mmCIF file of all heavy atoms in Angstrom:
data_model
loop_
_atom_site.group_PDB
_atom_site.id
_atom_site.type_symbol
_atom_site.label_atom_id
_atom_site.label_comp_id
_atom_site.label_asym_id
_atom_site.label_seq_id
_atom_site.Cartn_x
_atom_site.Cartn_y
_atom_site.Cartn_z
ATOM 1 N N THR A 15 3.751 4.200 16.501
ATOM 2 C CA THR A 15 4.653 3.216 15.921
ATOM 3 C C THR A 15 4.394 3.173 14.419
ATOM 4 O O THR A 15 3.287 2.844 13.987
ATOM 5 C CB THR A 15 4.423 1.830 16.548
ATOM 6 O OG1 THR A 15 4.574 1.960 17.965
ATOM 7 C CG2 THR A 15 5.420 0.809 16.029
ATOM 8 N N THR A 16 5.421 3.548 13.688
ATOM 9 C CA THR A 16 5.283 3.722 12.236
ATOM 10 C C THR A 16 5.713 2.469 11.488
ATOM 11 O O THR A 16 6.687 1.811 11.855
ATOM 12 C CB THR A 16 6.154 4.920 11.794
ATOM 13 O OG1 THR A 16 5.658 6.101 12.429
ATOM 14 C CG2 THR A 16 6.148 5.107 10.288
ATOM 15 N N ALA A 17 4.967 2.174 10.434
ATOM 16 C CA ALA A 17 5.370 1.139 9.477
ATOM 17 C C ALA A 17 5.242 1.722 8.076
ATOM 18 O O ALA A 17 4.481 2.666 7.849
ATOM 19 C CB ALA A 17 4.476 -0.093 9.602
ATOM 20 N N ILE A 18 5.993 1.168 7.158
ATOM 21 C CA ILE A 18 5.913 1.581 5.744
ATOM 22 C C ILE A 18 4.946 0.643 5.031
ATOM 23 O O ILE A 18 4.972 -0.574 5.265
ATOM 24 C CB ILE A 18 7.304 1.501 5.070
ATOM 25 C CG1 ILE A 18 8.363 2.234 5.898
ATOM 26 C CG2 ILE A 18 7.239 2.010 3.640
ATOM 27 C CD1 ILE A 18 8.184 3.714 6.012
ATOM 28 N N LEU A 49 12.706 3.172 1.910
ATOM 29 C CA LEU A 49 12.800 1.815 2.463
ATOM 30 C C LEU A 49 14.136 1.625 3.186
ATOM 31 O O LEU A 49 14.193 1.002 4.255
ATOM 32 C CB LEU A 49 12.646 0.777 1.346
ATOM 33 C CG LEU A 49 11.233 0.656 0.768
ATOM 34 C CD1 LEU A 49 11.248 -0.161 -0.524
ATOM 35 C CD2 LEU A 49 10.279 0.013 1.787
ATOM 36 N N ARG A 51 15.933 3.985 4.643
ATOM 37 C CA ARG A 51 15.847 4.748 5.908
ATOM 38 C C ARG A 51 15.034 3.967 6.936
ATOM 39 O O ARG A 51 15.406 3.864 8.103
ATOM 40 C CB ARG A 51 15.154 6.098 5.680
ATOM 41 C CG ARG A 51 16.036 7.208 5.162
ATOM 42 C CD ARG A 51 15.184 8.416 4.763
ATOM 43 N NE ARG A 51 14.482 9.014 5.895
ATOM 44 C CZ ARG A 51 13.331 9.689 5.796
ATOM 45 N NH1 ARG A 51 12.740 9.843 4.634
ATOM 46 N NH2 ARG A 51 12.778 10.210 6.867
ATOM 47 N N ALA A 52 13.901 3.451 6.478
ATOM 48 C CA ALA A 52 13.015 2.729 7.399
ATOM 49 C C ALA A 52 13.708 1.497 7.963
ATOM 50 O O ALA A 52 13.617 1.196 9.161
ATOM 51 C CB ALA A 52 11.733 2.331 6.674
ATOM 52 N N SER A 53 14.410 0.804 7.092
ATOM 53 C CA SER A 53 15.107 -0.411 7.508
ATOM 54 C C SER A 53 16.188 -0.087 8.538
ATOM 55 O O SER A 53 16.342 -0.788 9.546
ATOM 56 C CB SER A 53 15.698 -1.074 6.260
ATOM 57 O OG SER A 53 16.458 -2.175 6.621
ATOM 58 N N ALA A 54 16.915 1.005 8.302
ATOM 59 C CA ALA A 54 17.977 1.412 9.238
ATOM 60 C C ALA A 54 17.386 1.740 10.613
ATOM 61 O O ALA A 54 18.042 1.558 11.638
ATOM 62 C CB ALA A 54 18.729 2.616 8.676
ATOM 63 N N LEU A 55 16.151 2.210 10.608
ATOM 64 C CA LEU A 55 15.489 2.544 11.882
ATOM 65 C C LEU A 55 14.793 1.333 12.504
ATOM 66 O O LEU A 55 14.195 1.432 13.582
ATOM 67 C CB LEU A 55 14.450 3.653 11.652
ATOM 68 C CG LEU A 55 14.999 5.043 11.306
ATOM 69 C CD1 LEU A 55 13.870 5.966 10.848
ATOM 70 C CD2 LEU A 55 15.717 5.637 12.523
ATOM 71 N N GLY A 56 14.817 0.223 11.798
ATOM 72 C CA GLY A 56 14.185 -0.990 12.326
ATOM 73 C C GLY A 56 12.673 -0.998 12.189
ATOM 74 O O GLY A 56 11.984 -1.767 12.877
ATOM 75 N N LEU A 57 12.132 -0.163 11.297
ATOM 76 C CA LEU A 57 10.679 -0.129 11.133
ATOM 77 C C LEU A 57 10.195 -1.321 10.299
ATOM 78 O O LEU A 57 10.915 -1.815 9.430
ATOM 79 C CB LEU A 57 10.244 1.159 10.420
ATOM 80 C CG LEU A 57 10.629 2.485 11.064
ATOM 81 C CD1 LEU A 57 9.959 3.641 10.313
ATOM 82 C CD2 LEU A 57 10.235 2.519 12.531
ATOM 83 N N THR A 58 8.976 -1.719 10.561
ATOM 84 C CA THR A 58 8.363 -2.769 9.750
ATOM 85 C C THR A 58 8.010 -2.194 8.384
ATOM 86 O O THR A 58 7.469 -1.097 8.285
ATOM 87 C CB THR A 58 7.077 -3.282 10.429
ATOM 88 O OG1 THR A 58 7.421 -3.781 11.718
ATOM 89 C CG2 THR A 58 6.412 -4.380 9.610
ATOM 90 N N CYS A 59 8.325 -2.948 7.340
ATOM 91 C CA CYS A 59 7.922 -2.582 5.983
ATOM 92 C C CYS A 59 6.953 -3.637 5.470
ATOM 93 O O CYS A 59 7.241 -4.839 5.546
ATOM 94 C CB CYS A 59 9.128 -2.508 5.049
ATOM 95 S SG CYS A 59 10.322 -1.244 5.527
ATOM 96 N N TYR A 60 5.823 -3.180 4.973
ATOM 97 C CA TYR A 60 4.860 -4.061 4.319
ATOM 98 C C TYR A 60 4.881 -3.762 2.823
ATOM 99 O O TYR A 60 4.946 -2.596 2.427
ATOM 100 C CB TYR A 60 3.441 -3.800 4.828
ATOM 101 C CG TYR A 60 3.212 -4.151 6.284
ATOM 102 C CD1 TYR A 60 3.226 -3.165 7.264
ATOM 103 C CD2 TYR A 60 2.969 -5.467 6.662
ATOM 104 C CE1 TYR A 60 3.006 -3.481 8.597
ATOM 105 C CE2 TYR A 60 2.750 -5.796 7.995
ATOM 106 C CZ TYR A 60 2.769 -4.796 8.956
ATOM 107 O OH TYR A 60 2.552 -5.120 10.268
ATOM 108 N N PRO A 99 13.564 -4.226 1.892
ATOM 109 C CA PRO A 99 14.514 -4.673 2.909
ATOM 110 C C PRO A 99 14.231 -6.118 3.339
ATOM 111 O O PRO A 99 13.081 -6.580 3.266
ATOM 112 C CB PRO A 99 14.272 -3.720 4.081
ATOM 113 C CG PRO A 99 13.488 -2.578 3.542
ATOM 114 C CD PRO A 99 12.748 -3.084 2.347
ATOM 115 N N THR A 100 15.280 -6.787 3.793
ATOM 116 C CA THR A 100 15.113 -8.115 4.376
ATOM 117 C C THR A 100 14.079 -8.017 5.489
ATOM 118 O O THR A 100 14.109 -7.068 6.277
ATOM 119 C CB THR A 100 16.455 -8.583 4.985
ATOM 120 O OG1 THR A 100 17.442 -8.480 3.971
ATOM 121 C CG2 THR A 100 16.385 -10.014 5.486
ATOM 122 N N GLY A 101 13.172 -8.956 5.521
ATOM 123 C CA GLY A 101 12.164 -8.952 6.575
ATOM 124 C C GLY A 101 10.882 -8.231 6.185
ATOM 125 O O GLY A 101 9.928 -8.196 6.974
ATOM 126 N N ILE A 138 1.465 -1.426 15.542
ATOM 127 C CA ILE A 138 1.590 -0.342 14.564
ATOM 128 C C ILE A 138 0.405 0.611 14.735
ATOM 129 O O ILE A 138 -0.741 0.166 14.875
ATOM 130 C CB ILE A 138 1.563 -0.902 13.114
ATOM 131 C CG1 ILE A 138 2.611 -1.998 12.893
ATOM 132 C CG2 ILE A 138 1.656 0.218 12.073
ATOM 133 C CD1 ILE A 138 4.022 -1.610 12.990
ATOM 134 N N VAL A 142 3.104 4.931 6.734
ATOM 135 C CA VAL A 142 3.594 5.829 5.695
ATOM 136 C C VAL A 142 3.404 5.071 4.385
ATOM 137 O O VAL A 142 4.018 4.025 4.167
ATOM 138 C CB VAL A 142 5.076 6.189 5.927
ATOM 139 C CG1 VAL A 142 5.640 6.951 4.736
ATOM 140 C CG2 VAL A 142 5.214 7.024 7.201
ATOM 141 N N LEU A 205 10.063 9.716 10.062
ATOM 142 C CA LEU A 205 9.733 8.294 10.242
ATOM 143 C C LEU A 205 9.645 7.909 11.711
ATOM 144 O O LEU A 205 9.592 6.738 12.043
ATOM 145 C CB LEU A 205 10.761 7.418 9.517
ATOM 146 C CG LEU A 205 10.726 7.510 7.987
ATOM 147 C CD1 LEU A 205 11.766 6.602 7.365
ATOM 148 C CD2 LEU A 205 9.339 7.172 7.448
ATOM 149 N N GLY A 206 9.645 8.896 12.572
ATOM 150 C CA GLY A 206 9.546 8.579 13.997
ATOM 151 C C GLY A 206 8.123 8.293 14.430
ATOM 152 O O GLY A 206 7.201 8.421 13.663
#
Side-chain angles (χ1 to χ4, degrees):
T15 304
T16 297
I18 309 294
L49 289 167
R51 277 171 64 207
S53 175
L55 291 169
L57 302 187
T58 301
C59 298
Y60 294 100
T100 306
I138 306 295
V142 171
L205 292 181

